[in-house]
Amino acid sequence: MPLIVQKYGGTSVGSADRIKHVARRVARGHKEGNQLVVVVSAMSGETNRLLALAREVQQRPDPRELDVMVSTGEQVTIALLSMALMDLGVKARSYTGSQVKILTDNAYTKARIVSIDEERMRRDLDAGYVVVVAGFQGVDEAGNITTLGRGGSDTTGVALAAALKADECQIYTDVDGVYTTDPRIVPTARRLDTITFEEMLEMASLGSKVLQIRSVEFAGKYRVKLRVLSSFEEEGTGTLITFQENEKMEAATISGIAFTRDEAKITILGVPDRPGIAYQILGPVGDANIDVDMIVQNVGQDGLTDFSFTVNRNDYQHTLDILKPVIAHIKAREVQGGDKIAKVSVVGVGMRSHAGIASTAFRTLAEEGINIQMISTSEIKISIVIDEKYMELAVRVLHKAFGLDQPAS
Ligand code: ADP
Ligand code: ASP
Ligand code: MG
């Protein structure tokens, strides 16, 4: 009997009616003879509401308590979906992350899954139940509730699929697949039938929130067959994440444009140019569990250099606080920063065998008078940091310049 893990995002379970709709889809899949594990997110807006509430009470909310609170969103939807399934005559049982149990490390608000105990789920599945699991949450060794970072229900879905060796993991959302860029920003974006795992990894890590990056990492590590589909449409095969490049030989050089406003830039001016300086600056930042993204160090002059890097916007203030004593210690001149930046990235495995992609991107932005603040490249992507106010324009013109617009019908 095929075992399928389905994940439904916030909009898909955003109201009682939507939950009943999801229940009908799940019931159908169950009747067709599949064993089903269903992961749900909190109702749309709920996680944001809870986070805002916490900030009203404590300026920088305590991470442990934040996870206790924010994980309640998913506890509501698992129970509601199970009720809706029972109403349709389907045996269903809900579990929180700690009941499953989904064991994580203890990095509150961005915990990583360490292991999943599948025994209980297997028993239920064999007894004909649909198993409904709360996304986004787990439990650490000491029994504390943890959460997996925004968008973390995708990761719960894929991790369960990996643990259960499911035949497929289906991520149901409010768009019918992965597009060449966010269709809400560029209406002419095209849905991709397939995208390679590597490209999806880049798109996700560079800001395409359709899948949380860790879910793609899991899919890659455990070779989970992963598909993105719409819960709002009855038909359609969505987008399949493939593991072989040659499955899409006909495909274009560039598969998509990703973007994010989630970053902030920090520049340290007048840094003494000597061995160990990068470590002295970035070591304490890393020790505080803050991820550093782009790093640029200029050529030194007169023994001094400038050093810039980006961090998540949520970590901006914290990073500046950490750097204050460091700057004094290394005797750098000053720190500047800004969180009104955006990062726009051009992604495609075809870039490996095509020259001139970077210059096309730079020319396209130059023609619009958009100033480039930072650049970083890899074999399959070019990322550019620009002023946030030009982000949508940059995405649109790059999308067009690389021929990604769908043909006018
Ligand atoms: P869910 O609540 O179902 O997890 P998300 O809002 O997290 O849904 O992710 C779906 C959204 O991702 C879409 O509504 C779309 O605006 C956005 N998105 C960003 N980039 C892309 C892309 N390349 N393809 C499809 N959707 C994208
Ligand atoms: N509810 C969580 C969030 O909004 C997890 C998820 O939806 O994937 O980030
Ligand atoms: Mg999501």
Side-chain angles (χ1 to χ4, degrees):
M1 200 184 264
L3 197 170
I4 313 269
V5 175
Q6 298 186 335
K7 176 259 170 176
Y8 292 90
T11 329
S12 305
V13 294
S15 66
D17 276 347
R18 291 301 316 163
I19 290 174
K20 289 184 196 170
H21 178 89
V22 166
R24 285 194 290 275
R25 186 187 282 270
V26 172
R28 204 165 55 229
H30 191 245
K31 218 187 235 147
E32 283 165 6
N34 299 298
Q35 289 193 321
L36 288 175
V37 173
V38 183
V39 174
V40 284
S41 294
M43 294 168 92
S44 57
E46 180 62 5
T47 309
N48 285 342
R49 187 185 74 81
L50 291 168
L51 289 171
L53 189 59
R55 279 193 292 266
E56 272 184 49
V57 173
Q58 195 182 17
Q59 205 181 21
R60 223 189 263 168
D62 178 80
R64 181 185 182 278
E65 304 313 322
L66 203 57
D67 279 358
V68 170
M69 183 190 61
V70 88
S71 61
T72 59
E74 275 74 8
Q75 191 165 338
V76 171
T77 46
I78 51 170
L80 288 174
L81 179 60
S82 301
M83 291 176 203
L85 283 166
M86 288 174 202
D87 232 31
L88 297 173
V90 177
K91 292 205 290 183
R93 220 173 239 172
S94 70
Y95 292 105
T96 64
S98 59
Q99 286 175 313
V100 164
K101 84 189 211 187
I102 298 176
L103 185 71
T104 70
D105 62 17
N106 62 2
Y108 298 119
T109 77
K110 42 185 158 187
R112 280 182 184 272
I113 296 177
V114 175
S115 68
I116 293 179
D117 183 0
E118 12 128 23
E119 211 184 292
R120 203 165 178 182
M121 290 186 287
R122 286 249 187 246
R123 232 182 298 133
D124 282 348
L125 289 171
D126 291 342
Y129 284 91
V130 169
V131 175
V132 183
V133 180
F136 177 55
Q137 55 177 264
V139 64
D140 72 4
E141 283 279 10
N144 298 299
I145 295 174
T146 55
T147 65
L148 310 178
R150 299 307 304 271
S153 299
D154 297 333
T155 302
T156 308
V158 180
L160 287 176
L164 292 161
K165 301 188 180 58
D167 294 283
E168 187 163 309
C169 180
Q170 302 170 342
I171 304 284
Y172 285 94
T173 182
D174 54 4
V175 285
D176 63 349
V178 179
Y179 278 67
T180 47
T181 192
D182 189 341
R184 291 180 208 288
I185 301 289
V186 182
T188 50
R190 268 184 299 118
R191 185 180 61 78
L192 301 162
D193 284 332
T194 62
I195 181 167
T196 68
F197 156 73
E198 263 183 299
E199 286 168 329
M200 193 62 241
L201 200 59
E202 288 288 353
M203 291 283 279
S205 77
L206 297 169
S208 298
K209 295 201 173 106
V210 61
L211 286 176
Q212 197 201 32
I213 176 152
R214 285 184 185 171
S215 72
V216 187
E217 285 169 357
F218 253 101
K221 193 160 169 198
Y222 296 99
R223 293 276 153 157
V224 175
K225 188 171 175 198
L226 180 61
R227 196 183 286 279
V228 178
L229 306 130
S230 167
S231 72
F232 290 78
E233 287 168 22
E234 296 307 318
E235 306 285 320
T237 50
T239 301
L240 180 69
I241 320 302
T242 62
F243 291 97
Q244 277 156 8
E245 270 173 45
N246 59 10
E247 279 180 35
K248 46 172 288 180
M249 261 181 3
E250 307 284 316
T253 317
I254 301 304
S255 51
I257 313 286
F259 54 86
T260 172
R261 289 187 178 87
D262 287 350
E263 293 192 33
K265 185 172 100 170
I266 290 169
T267 300
I268 308 171
L269 298 167
V271 176
D273 192 11
R274 59 164 191 259
I277 214 73
Y279 176 64
Q280 276 182 292
I281 295 171
L282 297 179
V285 177
D287 291 344
N289 214 359
I290 293 172
D291 289 330
V292 171
D293 180 22
M294 283 190 186
I295 305 170
V296 176
Q297 185 185 329
N298 281 344
V299 176
Q301 244 178 0
D302 304 327
L304 295 176
T305 184
D306 299 337
F307 193 92
S308 296
F309 61 95
T310 60
V311 293
N312 190 289
R313 233 178 239 195
N314 293 329
D315 293 323
Y316 178 53
Q317 206 50 52
H318 190 188
T319 309
L320 287 177
D321 292 346
I322 290 171
L323 286 177
K324 241 183 231 144
V326 175
I327 299 312
H329 180 70
I330 63 174
K331 299 196 169 60
R333 195 167 76 235
E334 63 171 300
V335 189
Q336 292 178 347
D339 60 358
K340 297 278 176 289
I341 57 157
K343 183 172 73 176
V344 177
S345 307
V346 177
V347 176
V349 288
M351 236 183 252
R352 283 196 185 113
S353 47
H354 283 73
I357 302 292
S359 66
T360 303
F362 303 152
R363 191 189 62 234
T364 305
L365 296 180
E367 281 166 4
E368 297 295 331
I370 299 174
N371 188 42
I372 297 174
Q373 299 182 18
M374 291 169 107
I375 301 167
S376 98
T377 62
S378 78
E379 272 199 295
I380 66 166
K381 71 117 202 276
I382 299 161
S383 292
I384 297 164
V385 169
I386 57 172
D387 189 324
E388 181 185 359
K389 65 175 184 266
Y390 300 119
M391 189 191 80
E392 292 193 13
L393 173 64
V395 173
R396 271 203 312 277
V397 294
L398 288 170
H399 194 263
K400 188 151 190 241
F402 287 105
L404 298 175
D405 283 356
Q406 56 189 348
S409 52

